[in-house]
Amino acid sequence: MNPRVFLEVDHLSPGERVKVGGEDGHHLVRVLRVGPLESVAIGAAGRGYLTQVESIDAKAGTVTLRVQNELSSHEAKLKVYLLQGMPKAEKTEFIIQHGTELGLNGFLLYQSNRAVARLDGKDAKKQTAKLVRWERVIREAAGQSQRDVVPTLAYAASWSELEKWLTGVAPGLILFLDEEEQALSLKAALTSYAEDALAEQFSQNASAVNASAEEESDGSVRPVVLCIGPEGGWDDNERQSFIQRLGAVPVTLGPRILRTETAGLVGAAAVFYHFHALGG
Amino acid sequence: MNPRVFLEVDHLSPGERVKVGGEDGHHLVRVLRVGPLESVAIGAAGRGYLTQVESIDAKAGTVTLRVQNELSSHEAKLKVYLLQGMPKAEKTEFIIQHGTELGLNGFLLYQSNRAVARLDGKDAKKQTAKLVRWERVIREAAGQSQRDVVPTLAYAASWSELEKWLTGVAPGLILFLDEEEQALSLKAALTSYAEDALAEQFSQNASAVNASAEEESDGSVRPVVLCIGPEGGWDDNERQSFIQRLGAVPVTLGPRILRTETAGLVGAAAVFYHFHALGG
């Protein structure tokens, strides 16, 4: 497998040269010790490219790559986000790392009422340091798992910040993982969502009728947000706010009790599986 | 949520008394500090029971429980096993802990060719100590996640030991997770397996025709074994042996590369989801 770095550039064309410096350059030169003509993959603007090492400046820690061709997409068509009640720090790392491998598009860490850990203390410097560290974890996991994009990481200290984040994501479905008996099964919620999205699409575009239902159902579905409580769970006010103010659908993953760090991964795996985004 | 302990007893009836000692008794008395009349759940012979604390002997570390009623099952009807190429020790713990929560029925750690860690060294004492430790991890996770059974843990140092383990499990489907391009999608493999199982059942029992296809498809399907390579993957000989000698079906989870400890969890989540074992 080729090493993969991410660049903040627009579309790349075959033959084009790109110079990689900074942390990525350092990583290629010093850690991976790439040599001339070696293959390196690039993720840029949501696409993957195969490149070849053209020259190396070991002193400066920079590598010049020559683009060979665009790679087939490694991204799921359906965008899935995780809204996670702030867990303990080591669990956060677990969640963002494995969630990135799985294919999540972004994470919101929410300072929910029963969260044990806090990120919104008085020490703004420490808070920033943690976020920077976690962003690096995500970037590394994205490279290792051969993602085309680096998932986003955001933090919401308040309900209004959470709402603002949601506005940016513009989800078509918010799933609220709940242990309550009256929750819908995840499968029922996803089946209904896929059918609604399909119906909406047919009504908008009659020419889509020729495409198969399965192809349609993972193509142009609006993002899904999966909400997972912290170790202590959500409190009743939060439950009410998610369901009544945001229209979140309470769903259950069954009678076995999953830890907060397992629930997000398992729930997201099921969403991707449903929409043919785990290998078709 | 009630604390849950596991007992090696047969069927329990309402009104029956059971005495819990040993590690479980210690845990209830000293760690959880249960009091009289408190509720405690029991897992026994694959079923869950609700009980009430009748008396406590703090000195001896024993608790006498009185069975109230049987609880609804927390187990998936489909049994899923993980055959895991021996990973590094801390990953093993991760895999068995989270796999237990998810609902796996058992684990086989296999000393595959490219495994970095070894359990079959000269020090038999150390090996036993590790397995005993991991069994405790599984038991604790089973209690916390409210399982009715404690998943099994086995170790195979050789191919013949692996085959022996498989004979005991008697799977109807062996999934071999593979990065090769020609692998089937997991969804295609599971859909075909569910259809075959359904057809077999109809031919065996005509009266099953009245039941819905979905109810049937998770009821009497033979166990599934999911095979995941170690950090370095399987080698070609192993790939050939799994596919040609065991009839394993090579499947892919898509273009994103999952770490060994993520792949088992995500793959198993998809299998459970497919067979309605993640909350319906």
Side-chain angles (χ1 to χ4, degrees):
Chain A
M1 203 182 317
N2 301 319
R4 181 172 281 236
V5 293
F6 295 92
L7 301 179
E8 319 307 322
V9 295
D10 277 346
H11 183 75
L12 294 169
S13 303
E16 207 172 317
R17 281 177 187 79
V18 279
K19 200 168 167 178
V20 183
E23 268 188 47
D24 289 327
H26 176 87
H27 189 68
L28 289 174
V29 175
R30 302 277 151 76
V31 183
L32 299 172
R33 303 170 73 96
V34 295
L37 301 183
E38 223 170 281
S39 291
V40 171
I42 287 180
R47 292 159 188 263
Y49 298 90
L50 186 67
T51 75
Q52 209 174 38
V53 174
E54 199 169 72
S55 64
I56 301 160
D57 186 336
K59 225 177 191 172
T62 59
V63 177
T64 302
L65 304 171
R66 194 184 158 91
V67 177
Q68 294 185 294
N69 54 274
E70 192 175 329
L71 295 164
S72 63
S73 173
H74 288 182
E75 294 300 315
K77 283 180 189 160
L78 175 70
K79 290 188 168 113
V80 183
Y81 292 82
L82 184 65
L83 190 163
Q84 171 75 50
M86 195 71 196
K88 288 182 193 159
E90 73 274 15
K91 296 202 170 182
T92 304
E93 193 160 326
F94 173 105
I95 291 164
I96 59 178
Q97 185 183 62
H98 297 286
T100 295
E101 288 171 56
L102 182 56
L104 287 172
N105 226 70
F107 305 89
L108 179 74
L109 300 172
Y110 172 51
Q111 198 68 59
S112 63
N113 294 341
R114 286 199 194 143
V116 185
R118 299 204 71 82
L119 200 67
D120 61 351
K122 282 173 192 158
D123 195 342
K125 226 175 175 178
K126 256 193 187 164
Q127 178 181 327
T128 310
K130 268 194 182 165
L131 286 172
V132 166
R133 179 181 147 68
W134 288 333
E135 272 167 358
R136 192 176 309 135
V137 169
I138 291 177
R139 201 177 174 90
E140 279 174 14
Q144 281 177 15
S145 57
Q146 306 283 307
R147 297 285 306 267
D148 296 335
V149 299
V150 179
T152 55
L153 177 68
Y155 170 68
S158 65
W159 183 262
S160 64
E161 285 177 23
L162 180 151
E163 281 187 330
K164 202 175 152 194
W165 179 82
L166 276 175
T167 305
V169 167
L173 176 66
I174 301 175
L175 296 166
F176 181 77
L177 202 77
D178 208 1
E179 307 298 344
E180 301 285 309
E181 291 271 329
Q182 68 270 32
L184 212 60
S185 83
L186 179 61
K187 197 163 219 162
L190 292 176
T191 302
S192 150
Y193 183 55
E195 284 168 1
D196 288 354
L198 192 61
E200 196 178 316
Q201 201 182 350
F202 277 156
S203 73
Q204 278 172 8
N205 181 4
S207 71
V209 170
N210 290 324
S212 86
E214 283 200 352
E215 272 176 332
E216 290 307 313
S217 70
D218 67 350
S220 50
V221 179
R222 279 199 290 154
V224 171
V225 172
L226 185 61
C227 308
I228 308 283
E231 285 90 343
W234 302 109
D235 75 11
D236 284 340
N237 282 337
E238 288 170 332
R239 177 173 289 113
Q240 218 170 345
S241 296
F242 271 101
I243 296 171
Q244 291 176 6
R245 290 169 64 179
L246 302 178
V249 179
V251 289
T252 172
L253 287 175
R256 295 177 295 282
I257 308 299
L258 299 170
R259 285 161 205 250
T260 181
E261 73 270 29
T262 320
L265 205 56
V266 167
V271 174
F272 281 128
Y273 184 78
H274 190 101
F275 284 94
H276 302 263
L278 275 183
Chain B
M1 204 180 319
N2 301 320
R4 180 172 282 235
V5 293
F6 295 92
L7 301 179
E8 318 308 323
V9 295
D10 277 345
H11 183 75
L12 294 169
S13 304
E16 208 172 316
R17 282 176 186 80
V18 281
K19 200 168 167 179
V20 182
E23 268 189 46
D24 289 327
H26 176 88
H27 189 68
L28 288 174
V29 176
R30 301 278 151 75
V31 184
L32 299 172
R33 302 170 74 96
V34 295
L37 301 183
E38 222 171 280
S39 291
V40 171
I42 287 180
R47 293 159 187 263
Y49 299 90
L50 187 66
T51 75
Q52 209 174 38
V53 174
E54 200 170 71
S55 64
I56 301 160
D57 185 338
K59 226 177 191 172
T62 59
V63 177
T64 301
L65 304 171
R66 196 187 157 89
V67 177
Q68 295 185 294
N69 55 276
E70 192 176 329
L71 296 164
S72 63
S73 173
H74 288 182
E75 294 300 314
K77 282 180 191 160
L78 174 70
K79 290 189 168 114
V80 183
Y81 292 82
L82 184 65
L83 189 164
Q84 171 75 50
M86 194 72 198
K88 288 183 194 157
E90 74 272 16
K91 295 201 172 182
T92 304
E93 193 160 326
F94 173 106
I95 291 164
I96 59 177
Q97 186 182 62
H98 297 286
T100 295
E101 287 171 56
L102 182 56
L104 287 172
N105 226 68
F107 305 89
L108 179 73
L109 301 172
Y110 172 52
Q111 199 67 60
S112 64
N113 294 339
R114 285 198 193 142
V116 185
R118 299 204 72 79
L119 200 65
D120 60 352
K122 283 174 194 159
D123 195 342
K125 225 174 172 179
K126 255 192 187 164
Q127 178 182 327
T128 310
K130 267 193 184 165
L131 286 172
V132 166
R133 181 182 145 69
W134 288 333
E135 273 167 358
R136 194 176 306 135
V137 168
I138 290 177
R139 202 176 174 90
E140 280 175 13
Q144 280 177 15
S145 58
Q146 305 284 306
R147 298 285 305 268
D148 296 333
V149 297
V150 180
T152 56
L153 176 68
Y155 170 67
S158 65
W159 183 261
S160 64
E161 285 178 21
L162 180 152
E163 282 187 330
K164 203 176 149 193
W165 179 82
L166 276 175
T167 305
V169 168
L173 176 66
I174 302 175
L175 296 166
F176 181 77
L177 203 78
D178 208 1
E179 307 299 345
E180 301 285 308
E181 291 272 328
Q182 68 269 35
L184 212 60
S185 83
L186 179 62
K187 197 164 218 162
L190 292 177
T191 302
S192 151
Y193 183 56
E195 284 168 0
D196 288 355
L198 193 59
E200 196 179 317
Q201 201 183 353
F202 277 157
S203 72
Q204 278 172 6
N205 181 3
S207 70
V209 170
N210 290 324
S212 86
E214 283 199 353
E215 272 176 331
E216 291 307 312
S217 70
D218 68 349
S220 50
V221 179
R222 279 200 290 152
V224 172
V225 172
L226 186 61
C227 307
I228 308 285
E231 286 89 343
W234 303 108
D235 74 11
D236 284 340
N237 283 337
E238 288 170 331
R239 179 174 287 112
Q240 219 170 344
S241 296
F242 271 102
I243 297 172
Q244 290 175 7
R245 291 169 64 179
L246 302 179
V249 179
V251 289
T252 173
L253 287 176
R256 295 178 293 284
I257 308 300
L258 299 171
R259 286 161 203 250
T260 181
E261 74 270 28
T262 320
L265 205 57
V266 166
V271 174
F272 281 128
Y273 183 77
H274 190 100
F275 284 93
H276 302 263
L278 275 182

